[in-house]
């Protein structure tokens, strides 16, 4: 009866202390405690409790994690801890109402009998009525490091049924006392506290359990505690164009997200518009400007989103002037590409030509390569065709209607007088006719409905007959009006 009364008294005292702690919880973060000037408001208790705050001077644990002071089991000197110990070191109460992604880290140094003796870490959200062991054993990622190297630690059993924890020493096994697996100095342990976000009353505690033999080790020490929001994810990706419409994407996000969602901004591609692969490939449905979005989330920290613009080009090549049949030269090809810009054009001519026009061409096929910032490189091919009339009738690729008497009008040149059954029309970019004539000597002066127009590219088409040819010839191309 006396022992029962003592236990009940201890329970009520502990409960009263926890309740008092949560009466004014800590709600300002990040919380840091290095135990240099005080015990930090952390309190110790339990069976065989020999936790002590101060400057350790033991054979193995002979310094604090940082500075000179820390908390340690087994006192500040000597090299043993209590037989049958089942103790704890408990934190102040914390208010996580404004903490969405709780993250905790601290420095540990342990020197205990391997497997049998060791420490653990728990939390309570009901003022200590129940406790939950935080984290998993022998698992590591960018958030959880050096967390629990032993499962189970045998003599944590008086305190918890979840016996994951830290256990081991740097000694060799001697007799029945097991060696190995010690921290061999201070290490930083960290993990996310999933499920504790927004909780108004959170208490943590370190546990320490020991058997009744092989307790001649330095113990278990704690220092430099940090509590705050977990560092957020940082979404990032790169991409490589495989061809003009197929793109490989590479996730380069930090820290180590576990949920990956891509949206390629291409609803016309149907179910292929999204992906959860780390490094997907996407075939875009057609030319256009696309906004690609990557969102990454987990493990227990804030999500992050990034977008990048990718342009899929369409390249068209038309003949602006035919190749002169007598010399097999003088052909002109015109390239257009879009959407977006500015764009660069490179022709496979010898020598290489750049720009939208390739001029002075012999008969044959020519390819233009188009590039631009954020655009997948694309190519287009056109043919410079030979003017088989050999009469010398041709249409220039540009004209300058500036009234200087030189190249002021656009129309056929050369042996114009032999042309018959002639019909000539010019259209603007919207397909509207701006000029037409049945007189091969009549040139377009660059005016539309009597008014001058700005420099631009126009499309023309012509039909005519030449002497010695039974069929009517039809020609078309583009002309550049230069102001």
């Amino acid at each position: 009866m006396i022992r029962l009364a003592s236990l009940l008294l201890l329970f009520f005292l502990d409960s009263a202390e926890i309740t008092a702690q949560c009466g004014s919880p800590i709600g300002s973060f990040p919380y840091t405690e290095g135990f240099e000037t005080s015990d930090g408001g952390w309190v110790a208790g339990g069976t065989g409790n020999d936790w002590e705050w101060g400057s350790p001077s033991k054979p193995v644990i002979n310094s604090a994690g940082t500075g000179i002071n820390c908390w340690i089991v087994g006192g500040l000197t000597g090299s043993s801890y209590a037989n049958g110990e089942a103790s704890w070191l408990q934190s102040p109460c914390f208010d996580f109402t404004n903490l969405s992604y709780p993250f905790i880290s601290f420095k540990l140094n342990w020197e205990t009998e391997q497997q049998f003796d060791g420490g653990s870490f728990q939390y309570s959200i009901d003022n200590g009525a129940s406790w939950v062991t935080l984290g998993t054993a022998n698992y590591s990622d960018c958030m959880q490091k050096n967390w629990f190297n032993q499962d189970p630690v045998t003599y944590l059993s008086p305190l918890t049924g979840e016996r994951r924890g830290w256990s081991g020493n740097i000694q060799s096994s001697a007799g029945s006392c097991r060696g190995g697996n010690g921290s061999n100095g201070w290490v930083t342990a960290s993990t996310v506290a999933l499920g504790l976000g927004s909780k108004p009353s959170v208490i943590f505690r370190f546990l320490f359990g020991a058997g009744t033999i092989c307790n001649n080790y330095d113990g278990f020490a704690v220092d430099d505690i940090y509590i705050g929001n977990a560092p957020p994810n940082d979404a990032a990706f790169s991409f490589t164009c495989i061809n003009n419409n197929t793109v490989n994407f590479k996730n380069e996000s930090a820290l180590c997200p576990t949920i990956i969602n891509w949206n390629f901004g291409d609803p016309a591609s149907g179910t292929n518009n999204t992906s959860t692969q780390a490094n997907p490939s996407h075939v875009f449905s057609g030319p256009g400007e696309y906004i690609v979005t990557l969102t990454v989330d987990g493990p227990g920290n804030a999500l992050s989103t990034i977008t990048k613009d990718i342009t899929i080009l369409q390249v068209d090549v038309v003949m602006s002037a035919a190749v002169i049949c007598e010399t097999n030269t003088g052909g002109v090809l015109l390239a257009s590409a879009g959407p977006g810009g500015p764009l660069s054009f490179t022709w496979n001519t010898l020598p290489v030509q750049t720009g939208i026009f390739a001029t002075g061409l012999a008969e044959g096929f020519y390819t233009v390569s188009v590039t631009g910032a954020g655009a997948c490189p694309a190519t287009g091919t056109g043919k410079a065709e030979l003017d088989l009339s050999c009469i010398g009738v041709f249409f220039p690729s540009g004209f300058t209607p500036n009234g200087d008497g030189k190249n002021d009008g656009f129309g056929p040149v050369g042996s114009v007088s032999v042309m018959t059954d002639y019909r000539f029309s010019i259209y603007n970019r919207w397909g509207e006719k701006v000029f037409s004539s049945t007189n091969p000597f009549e040139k377009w002066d660059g005016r539309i409905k009597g008014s001058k127009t700005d420099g631009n590219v126009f499309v023309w088409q012509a039909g005519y007959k030449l002497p010695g040819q039974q069929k009517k010839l039809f020609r078309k191309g583009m002309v550049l009006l230069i102001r």
Side-chain angles (χ1 to χ4, degrees), residues 37-389:
T37 59
S38 72
D39 60 15
W42 289 64
V43 294
T47 303
N49 169 35
D50 56 7
W51 285 89
E52 191 167 347
W53 167 74
S55 180
S57 180
K58 295 190 172 191
V60 177
I61 305 177
N62 51 30
S63 67
T66 302
I68 60 173
N69 293 325
C70 65
W71 275 98
I72 187 169
V73 164
L76 298 172
T77 59
S79 187
S80 64
Y81 40 81
N83 289 336
E85 183 167 353
S87 63
W88 41 260
L89 175 67
Q90 186 172 292
S91 75
C93 186
F94 297 96
D95 181 357
F96 284 2
T97 299
N98 296 316
L99 205 60
S100 300
Y101 304 96
F103 173 80
I104 185 165
S105 71
F106 38 73
K107 290 182 179 178
L108 294 178
N109 197 339
W110 64 88
E111 182 75 3
T112 72
E113 186 186 10
Q114 163 67 7
Q115 180 182 340
F116 296 102
D117 305 342
S120 188
F121 189 74
Q122 295 185 315
Y123 68 86
S124 174
I125 57 175
D126 56 9
N127 290 335
S130 62
W131 293 89
V132 178
T133 300
L134 178 62
T136 56
N138 300 310
Y139 171 78
S140 178
D141 61 23
C142 63
M143 295 296 174
Q144 181 165 300
K145 298 178 180 178
N146 298 314
W147 201 265
F148 297 162
N149 69 336
Q150 179 67 45
D151 186 13
V153 178
T154 303
Y155 289 109
L156 287 174
S157 58
L159 294 164
T160 177
E162 301 177 287
R163 294 182 290 164
R164 306 182 297 277
W166 296 276
S167 178
N169 59 80
I170 62 172
Q171 317 303 324
S172 299
S173 296
S176 63
C177 299
R178 293 191 179 182
N181 219 24
S183 64
N184 195 24
W186 288 92
V187 299
T188 299
S190 63
T191 192
V192 291
L194 292 174
L196 297 185
S198 303
K199 300 296 183 183
S201 299
V202 181
I203 305 169
F204 295 108
R205 70 176 184 179
F206 291 94
L207 304 181
F208 186 76
T212 57
I213 60 173
C214 299
N215 293 351
N216 294 323
Y217 298 96
D218 282 13
F220 184 81
V222 178
D223 202 359
D224 294 336
I225 296 173
Y226 172 93
I227 301 174
N229 265 321
N233 284 296
D234 185 11
F237 70 89
S238 61
F239 64 90
T240 302
C241 298
I242 304 304
N243 52 44
N244 68 314
N245 67 338
T246 303
V247 182
N248 285 351
F249 294 90
K250 182 180 180 182
N251 172 34
E252 298 175 340
S253 304
L255 302 164
C256 55
T258 55
I259 300 173
I260 299 173
N261 288 302
W262 296 88
N263 186 303
F264 302 110
D266 183 18
S269 64
T271 57
N272 294 324
N273 187 41
T274 60
S275 176
T276 57
Q277 298 179 20
N279 303 304
S281 179
H282 183 70
V283 179
F284 287 91
S285 57
E289 293 178 293
Y290 298 90
I291 300 175
V292 178
T293 303
L294 170 63
T295 301
V296 294
D297 198 0
N301 54 336
L303 62 77
S304 178
T305 297
I306 187 174
T307 62
K308 288 187 179 182
D309 297 334
I310 295 178
T311 301
I312 302 300
L313 298 173
Q314 177 173 311
V315 181
D316 297 307
V317 180
V318 297
M319 186 173 68
S320 178
V323 179
I324 300 172
C325 60
E326 294 90 347
T327 61
N328 193 26
T329 187
V332 179
L333 294 178
L334 171 65
S336 60
L343 301 173
S344 298
F345 297 77
T346 304
W347 296 85
N348 68 335
T349 55
L350 291 176
V352 172
Q353 299 185 51
T354 59
I356 60 175
F357 285 105
T359 62
L361 303 177
E363 182 184 19
F365 290 92
Y366 297 86
T367 298
V368 61
S369 298
V370 184
T371 59
C376 286
T379 60
T381 300
K383 183 180 181 182
E385 297 179 354
L386 193 66
D387 183 355
L388 298 178
S389 69

Side-chain angles (χ1 to χ4, degrees), residues 375-430:
C376 286
T379 60
T381 300
K383 183 180 181 182
E385 297 179 354
L386 193 66
D387 183 355
L388 298 178
S389 69
C390 286
I391 302 298
V393 174
F394 65 96
F395 293 80
S397 60
F399 72 113
T400 56
N402 54 12
D404 64 356
K406 299 178 181 180
N407 202 26
D408 283 334
F410 174 65
V413 296
S415 301
V416 177
S417 60
V418 300
M419 301 172 72
T420 60
D421 195 10
Y422 174 79
R423 184 172 297 277
F424 180 54
S425 300
I426 300 175
Y427 303 86
N428 63 18
R429 69 178 73 177
W430 296 283

